[in-house]
Each structure stands twice: as C-alpha cells, then as structure tokens.
C-alpha cells in the first residue's frame, strides 16, 4: 500500500481522534495558566502515553505542546506574564495592543500566525528535513557562539531607548546569567554561599518579575487608566486575513527565520522570535510604531516562534538530538513506542512519519477554532476592575513561580526582579534587553569557552569556518549599527550650525 | 521612582566594578585557558564603560520623552501623601511575606491576606475586596493544587478537598 | 481529559480512606505519597521516576505524585528529600550526584543522609568517536591517546566536573596517564556533546551509550567500549574496557529511590518490596529497554553498598582531576 494512504488510515482511528482532541483542550488550558509551561504540560502526559498506541501517544505530545505554546501567549498579552522566553520578545507589543483595547486583535494575530508558522514549519520538515539536519550538524560551538551573540545584539535593535542603555541592560542580564555553577568551569560564581543560587537564576521567574510584577508596582502609583472601550471587533479571523495580506513579506521572512534557526538544537524558538522581531523592526517602513501596539512585529515573530518549533523536530527525528525540553520528552516517547529516531525512521517507518506530519498539520488547524474559543473566554479577564485584577495577578505570579520547580525561592526571585524591572523601566532601561541577556548568557559563555578550549586559545578558528565567518560578519555589523547611527545623527545635527 | 541618568549610570559603573573585582577572585580551572573569571570580568568592564557613558548623558537623545506619572493614584499612594512613591514597593514586599509565612499559615490564609492588602492598596471597595478574598484562593488552590498537583502547603487551614 | 477524572477518582478514594476510623493502626500508605525528583521535567531521571511512580501507585493503591524540586544543580531537591518528615509520605529519586557534590564542597549532604530503599538503574559511560575517526577500536584509540601530547585530544560529554568528565579522568588514570591528559571541553549535557562530535568539534565523547544511541544509529558516530563490568544486552556488540584493555574500571550514572533518614523499618521494607515488584514488572522492563536505560537492581542494602562504592571511586577521580575543594 502507498505509505501516504497507509498514514491516513493510521491517523483516522477513534483512538487518535480522541487523543488529539483531549490533549488539545488540555494543552490549551495548561498553557494559559501562568507559570505552567508547555514543557510541564507534555511531561505530565508521559505516564498516559504508556497506555496508548504509538501514533496516538506521539499525537498527544505534538498536539498538547503546540496548543500550550500558543495559549502561553494569552497571559502574556492580557496580563503581561509571558509564558516562555520566546514569547518575551513580543510580550510588550501585545500588551500595548491590549491597553489600546485591541486584545482580541493581538491574540488573534498570535493565534493565526502561530498556526500558519506551524504549518509552514511542518511543510519544511516534510520536504527538506535531511538538508536542514545536515545544516544543524555542521554547527559547532564556533557557529553557536556567533549566533548567540547575534541574538544578544537584537537587544539594541528591539529597544525603544538609547542604545547605550539597551547594551547596559543586556550586560546586566549577562551578569545575572553568571550566577551559579552552570558555567563552563563548574565553579560556583556569585552564589554568596546560597544553595538556591547554585543552580543559577532561571529565566522564567525573572520574566514574571520584570514584566508582571513591575506592572503591578506601576499600577500602585499611577492613576486609573481610562476604561477600555468595549469595542466589538467582529470576526477574529477576518482581521487576520487583512494582516496576512498587508504583512505577507514579514510573515514569510518570519517563517524562514523560524525554520532555519529552529532546526539548530538548543537555539530554537527563543533566538528565532527575537531575531525575527528585530529584523521586522529593522526593515519596517514605520519602525517608530514598534512597541506601541503595532501588529507588524507580532506577525513576524509569532510566525517565527511556531515554525521554529516544527523546525526543532528535525534534529530530534533524524539524530535524536533534542532541540528543546519538549522534543526531549518526545524523543523519550518515540523510543518507548519503537519509533526510534534516526534516518531509518524516514525509510523503514515512512508511513508512521507521514502520520506524524498529518498530526502536525491537524494540530495546527485545530488550534484555530479552539484558540478562538479560548480568546473569547479569556478576554473577560479584562473586564475586571484594576483594583481586583492586579491583586489576582500578583497571587498568580506567586503560585506560578512556585509551580515551575516547586521551590519557594523562585517567588523571592520574582519579587527581586519586579523591583529591578520597575526601576529600569522608570529610568529608560529596556527590560526586554535584560531578559535577552539572561536567556543568552549561558549560551554565549559556554560556546565561547568551549571553542577556545578546542582551538587551544586561538582566535582565528572563529573566522575560518564558512558559516562561522558569515555569522561573524553579521554580528559585527549589528554591533556597529548603533555607533554608526549615533555618528550620523551627530554629523547631521552639527551641519546647520556651520 | 525616577532617578537621574547620573545616578543610574554611576550605579551601573559601581556594579560593573564589583563584578570585575568578584570575577577576578574566582579560581582558575585546570585545563581551561579562559576560566570562569573571564566572562564576569568582561561584563563588569562593559558595565563600567556603559555606566560612565550614561552618566555623561551620551545617547540620551534617542530616548522617548518620559511620560508624567506619579500623580493621583487611588488607595495607598494617596494615603501616603508625599511618600506615595513608596507604594510601588508593596507587591515585592507582599511576595517576600508570602514566602515567609505560607508554610505556617497555609496557602489559603496567606493568599487571602495578600489579596486583602493589595486590593485595598489599589483602592478597591471593601465589598469587592472581601469578595475576591473569599473566592480567589479556593479557586486557585483547586486549579493548581488539586488538578495540577502543585504542592501548596496546608498550614493552619487545609483545603477540604 | 481522562487523566483528571482518573486522578479525581483516586482523590475521592483517598478521602474515603482517610475517613475510616483512625483507631486501628492505619495501614501504610493511607494517603498520597510525594515522590521528589531533584531534576527538571523532561529529563531521563524525571521519566524514570514517573514510570516508577505510576507502577508504585498500582502496587500500593495510593497515588504517588511526582514533584520536580529543581534548583541548585540538584542540591535543592536532594536536600528536600533528606529534610522531609520520615513518615513514608515523602520519598524521592536520588542520583549519582549525591556521591559527587559533597566532594566539591557544594553541600553537606551525602549518601548517609538518607534511608536507602532501592537501586533502580545504572548507565555506564561509553567511549564514542566520530564515524570517520581513524580509530577503529578502543585499543587503537587508547594507544593514540598514550602517544599524544597532553591536551592534544579533546573530549566532551557534560560540564566540568560532571559524571562523564570523571569517567574520562578515571579511565586515563587507570591507563597510567594524568587525569587531564585529554582536554575536557565542557558541554551543556550529552546531546550537545554528541552533536559536536558529529560536527567534528571534539575527538571523543564519554557519555552513556543510550544517550549516544541516536547519533550512532544515524551512522555519524561509533561506540568503541563501555566502562562497565559486563556488556549491555541492548548494545551487545560494544565491548567492555576489561575485555579489550584489561582495565577493570567502571563507574556509572545510577538512579535510586531513597527516603529521609530514620524511616521506620516496616515502611521501608514495604516500599522496597513494592519497588522490587515494580522493577520486575513487564511495563518497567519494556520502558527501560525501549529507552536503552541499564537495568540494575539493588535492594536497600544493595543501594547502600553501591553508593559507598561510587562515593570512593568518584572521590578518587575528582581528587585526580583536581576538583576536590574544602
């Protein structure tokens, strides 16, 4: 029988249908709760997959993680509590739209372009998995070093403030990433004898602190905002169709960035979303609107985020290298069900592979109606008066931070980062740059030190390999960009005085 | 709380020099030319440079104008009068308080107290405050503690489920 | 959402169980048991703990809830297990790191801080090279390493001072070389190290064979030997160090179940017996074989002995590698 037909018969069973539907609802709900991530949602599913057929088991993982990643954007957009470091790239943009009364449009954009990104990513996975996998395997620590540095440089492009303050905020984030024993030397750094600091400062509590808690802090000293007019936006989807036509180029660029960066294990969705947002702003015709509730960046980084997720399955399926924690869990389930990752999966078990592709597409299509229901439900959150909503968000910050690792220290971190985020914002330092520094810090240092050990301290190998030299050129130009802008402005300002 | 660029810049420079100094005292690791000290020292150096530039006011022209804030906020800020800016620091204080007492008092009581204080501080009416206090903690406990098995402490008042 | 209804039903059962008159000595376990995992959701330890918990739940008729207590590179979770009340309602999965961290001066906790219950698994390290590497067998590689200048060969697999770094150091010392004769390139776990091996960045990777398996299956790397007393039936073609080089050196990453110190003996015996049933069950075997995890069993005494042995081996390796502090 034709493997594609066979794949359809494998998917078209009651068991798979129930598994997909149940795990879709489950992922949607878990992801929308602050602090509970897509990783958590998938890990909780593993014991259930023991009792399912192979295709149904993998289907639950694929479906629930896709849904949870989308619905993780909901608290980010409505309450400024981002669910993942990847969504932190556009949290402020989405929240600014919410404050303009366009919450449904923001969430709809996130939903629609997530689904499109997921489908494009899947198609890329289907037609060029081997080529992408070859690319991923040619990335050694030298290339990763430049890539992570490039991701870090996005801080200066994304920020709506002085580039020097953006760099300072990113450096502060890197300093935070230094804390702990998870450094190449395995030496406790800046732990001050604390056991809790030994493992370093996780990105998620820091995110919740600098975004959500600082927002509550600001609410305590600012007057009540004017009531958001209860606008009827009509069909969520119709608005998206308009955006798709208007920002078609951005969407495709985001998808390509997502697929390419997502296929690199370990870099994944985080860098992809940031790079896409920065690219979008850099090449936009109206960059001054970014950060004020403008959907353009949301389109590009939302698409990149989800196509990166599909891209992350490439190294997982071909080499068993997890791109992130979710694919790590998925690899475990694949092994348990006899679908061992490797090139043979694509040849000997071709029908199972096609079945997985079908489920990817199915999950991304199903995401749209379920997501619309979720958006319609969750927008009622905005109707709550501020004096009630903010205390509830504070409570959710505490519980959500605790739920990450069941460690009360995470709540302390949330409080500390709340203060840091508040002070930074009031004084014109972009918190997004700080977050980027925390996320990228370990990666930059790890790859720098590993590369230097491998090259016996030589700098030249950083520029010798072909991909490495290309990335180096990109990074250095991104680094010089703010300086160049500054010099040009200075010259222009100086001219009339002459 | 708005501080001048001079203050924040010099603070960053100080932090950078502390990081540089702290980094320089880290032990070398056998077999690594670039040890754990290099990265903190580089960051510290960078922070010192940025701090000094910020204090000198370079790059200020790129910033968006600061929107006027700190005027009439309801609740705690109004009550504190001229010290109203202190109200902003209530949420982190409440979070730390939560960590300190939650094991003794239990989740339900601690959450209720946290909601009471923060809702009143934001200017909620008593009726609204009491409503939130009574409804929200059990609902959150049901969702996180019961369904998702997050081990929220029982303390003095255990949830009936 | 059938999970929730299943859990809900169990929850109701638990409440009913509690409602029974407490006059008679209550049978253990009378309420849900917490299983603390010191590592994050999604890892191998988490997966193993979850299958053990699922099967224990069936064995003992009460929910066994897996709780990931992360932080402090495993220290936080390990101390949460040690500091819990010794009533049998908090147990945990402890890992090889408990025999390493105290040597580095990271914590006071050591193997004697627990009531050992059972050893569930151990994965020995292997020696992996790139598929196009000129060294066809472990003997050729060992000779080349001996002939190389110090630092010429680069190896990876974990962070600095991690279990696979110590495996390499111990192996080098057993060959009569210095522990740092091969340069260690720290990596963020075994998967990135294997990727770097495939990309040609390092010469060898000393992670466990199951961790290297997918890249080996993809024809990008080869496993030359494992550092264990016997071959792994899952990878029967990979010889041991002993049969090829005559070096009797073995160390592995193990996972065991433990409870706080002073757990009452009847409860401990009951738990160990249930874990033995779990270990012998077909589901557990299927799971471990599918993942390629090594099946090693030890009862309470077996785990205690095993911990003592690893503690000495790793202590020596860490001292040789210059990692012991304090």
């Amino acid at each position: 029988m034709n493997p594609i037909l066979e794949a359809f018969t494998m998917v078209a069973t009651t068991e798979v249908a129930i598994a997909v539907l149940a795990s879709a609802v489950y992922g949607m709900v878990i992801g929308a709760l602050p602090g509970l991530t897509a990783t958590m949602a998938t890990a909780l599913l593993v014991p259930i997959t023991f009792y399912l057929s192979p295709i149904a088991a993998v289907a639950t993982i694929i479906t629930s993680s896709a849904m949870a990643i989308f619905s993780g954007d909901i608290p980010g957009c409505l309450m400024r509590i981002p669910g993942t470091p990847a969504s932190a790239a556009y949290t402020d943009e989405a929240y600014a739209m919410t404050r303009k009364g366009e919450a449904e449009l923001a969430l709809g954009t996130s939903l629609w372009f997530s689904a499109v990104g997921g489908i494009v990513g899947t198609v890329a996975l289907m037609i060029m998995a081997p080529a992408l996998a070859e690319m991923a395997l040619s990335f050694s620590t030298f290339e990763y070093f430049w890539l992570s540095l490039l991701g870090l440089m996005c801080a200066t492009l994304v920020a709506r403030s002085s580039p020097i303050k953006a760099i300072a905020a990113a450096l502060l984030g890197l300093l935070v990433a230094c804390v702990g024993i998870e450094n190449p030397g395995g030496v406790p750094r800046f732990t001050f004898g604390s056991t809790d600091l030994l493992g370093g400062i996780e990105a998620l509590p820091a995110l919740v602190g600098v975004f959500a808690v600082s927002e509550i802090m600001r609410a305590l000293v600012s007057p009540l905002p004017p009531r958001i007019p209860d606008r009827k936006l009509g069909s969520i989807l119709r608005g998206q169709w308009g955006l798709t036509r208007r920002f078609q180029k951005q969407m495709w660029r985001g998808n390509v960035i997502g697929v390419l960066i997502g296929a690199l294990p370990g870099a994944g969705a985080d860098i992809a979303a940031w790079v896409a947002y920065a690219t979008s702003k850099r090449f936009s015709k109206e960059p001054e609107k970014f950060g004020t509730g403008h959907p353009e960046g949301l389109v590009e980084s939302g698409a990149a985020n989800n196509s990166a997720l599909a891209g992350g399955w490439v190294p997982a399926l071909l080499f068993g290298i997890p791109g992130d924690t979710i694919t790590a869990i998925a690899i475990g389930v694949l092994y348990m069900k006899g679908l061992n990752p490797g090139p043979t999966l694509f040849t000997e078990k071709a029908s199972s592979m096609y079945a997985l592709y079908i489920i990817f597409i199915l999950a991304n299509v199903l995401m749209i109606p379920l997501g619309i229901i979720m958006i319609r439900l969750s927008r009622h959150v905005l109707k709550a008066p501020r004096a009630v909503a903010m205390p509830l968000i504070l409570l959710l910050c505490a519980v959500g931070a605790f739920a990450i690792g069941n460690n009360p220290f995470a709540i302390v971190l949330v409080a500390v980062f709340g203060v840091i985020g508040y002070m930074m914002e009031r004084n014109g330092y972009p918190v997004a740059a700080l977050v980027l520094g925390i996320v990228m810090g370990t990666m930059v240092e790890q790859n720098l030190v590993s590369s230097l050990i491998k090259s016996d301290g030589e700098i030249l190998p950083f520029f010798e390999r072909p991909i490495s030299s290309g990335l180096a050129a990109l990074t250095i130009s991104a680094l010089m960009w703010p300086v160049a802008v500054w010099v040009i402005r200075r010259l222009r300002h100086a001219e009339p005085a002459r | 709380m708005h501080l001048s660029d001079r203050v924040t810049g010099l603070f960053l420079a100080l932090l950078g020099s502390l990081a540089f100094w702290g980094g320089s005292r880290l032990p070398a690791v056998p077999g690594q030319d670039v040890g754990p000290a290099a990265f903190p020292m580089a960051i510290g150096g960078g922070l010192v440079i940025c701090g000094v530039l910020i204090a000198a006011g370079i790059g200020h022209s790129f910033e968006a104008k600061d929107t006027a804030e700190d005027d009439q906020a309801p609740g705690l800020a109004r009550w504190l009068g001229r010290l109203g800016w202190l109200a902003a620091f209530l949420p982190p204080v409440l979070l730390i308080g939560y960590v300190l007492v939650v094991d003794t008092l239990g989740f339900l009581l601690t959450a209720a107290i946290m909601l009471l204080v923060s809702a009143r501080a934001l200017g909620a009416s008593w009726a609204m405050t009491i409503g939130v206090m009574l409804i929200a903690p059990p609902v959150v406990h049901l969702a996180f503690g019961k369904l998702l098995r997050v081990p929220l402490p029982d303390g003095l008042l255990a949830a009936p489920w | 959402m059938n999970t929730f209804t299943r859990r809900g039903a169990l929850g109701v059962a638990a409440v009913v169980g509690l409602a029974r008159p407490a006059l008679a000595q209550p049978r253990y376990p009378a309420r849900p048991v917490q299983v603390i995992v010191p590592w994050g959701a999604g890892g191998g330890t988490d997966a193993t703990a979850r299958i053990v918990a699922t099967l224990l739940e069936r064995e003992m008729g009460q929910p066994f809830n897996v709780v990931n207590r992360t932080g402090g590179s495993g220290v936080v979770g390990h101390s949460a297990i040690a500091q819990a009340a010794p009533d049998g309602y908090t147990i945990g999965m402890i890992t090889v790191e408990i025999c390493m961290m105290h040597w580095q001066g990271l914590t006071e906790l050591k193997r004697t801080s627990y009531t050992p219950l059972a050893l569930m698994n151990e994965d020995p390290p292997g020696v992996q090279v790139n598929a196009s590497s000129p060294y066809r067998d472990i003997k050729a590689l060992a000779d080349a390493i001996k002939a190389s200048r110090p630092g010429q060969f680069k190896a990876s697999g974990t962070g600095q001072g991690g279990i696979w770094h110590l495996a390499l150091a111990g192996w080098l010392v057993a060959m009569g070389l210095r522990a740092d004769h091969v340069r260690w390139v720290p990596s963020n776990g075994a998967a990135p190290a294997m990727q770097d091996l495939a990309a040609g960045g390092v010469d060898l990777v000393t992670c466990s064979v199951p961790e290297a398996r997918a890249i080996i299956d993809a024809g990008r790397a080869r496993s030359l030997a494992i550092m264990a007393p016997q071959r792994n039936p899952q990878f029967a073609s990979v010889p041991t160090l002993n049969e090829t080089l005559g070096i009797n050196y073995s160390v592995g990453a193990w996972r065991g179940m433990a409870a706080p110190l002073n757990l009452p003996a009847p409860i401990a015996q009951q738990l160990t017996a249930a874990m033995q049933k779990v270990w012998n069950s077909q589901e557990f075997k299927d799971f471990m074989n599918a993942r390629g995890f090594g099946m090693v069993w030890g009862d309470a005494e077996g785990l205690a002995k095993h911990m003592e042995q690893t503690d000495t081996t790793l202590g020596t390796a860490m001292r040789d590698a210059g990692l012991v502090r304090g």
Side-chain angles (χ1 to χ4, degrees), chain A residues 43 48 50 134 136-137 140 181-182 184-185 195-196 199 319-320 329 332 335-336 340 343 405-407 446 450 453-454 456, chain C residues 3 41-42 51 67-70 72-73 75-76 106 154 160 183 186-187 195-196 199 201 213-214 218 220 287 290-291:
Chain A
I48 297 152
F50 297 155
E134 276 314 314
L137 271 197
S140 146
I181 195 178
E182 302 285 336
T195 302
D196 285 306
F319 301 114
I329 300 172
Y335 270 121
M336 259 165 14
N340 294 8
N406 300 310
N407 189 349
Q446 182 92 40
S450 297
I453 291 175
K454 287 195 285 191
D456 292 314
Chain C
T3 35
I51 175 112
V67 173
N68 302 88
R69 261 318 274 279
T70 56
S73 289
V75 178
V76 171
L106 298 178
K154 312 280 191 290
Q160 183 85 3
R183 241 334 160 77
S187 76
Q195 195 206 343
D196 212 13
R213 171 185 192 183
R220 299 306 174 107
F287 168 83
R291 293 294 300 257

Side-chain angles (χ1 to χ4, degrees), chain A residues 184 246 335 393:
Chain A
R246 198 169 137 211
Y335 270 121
I393 295 175

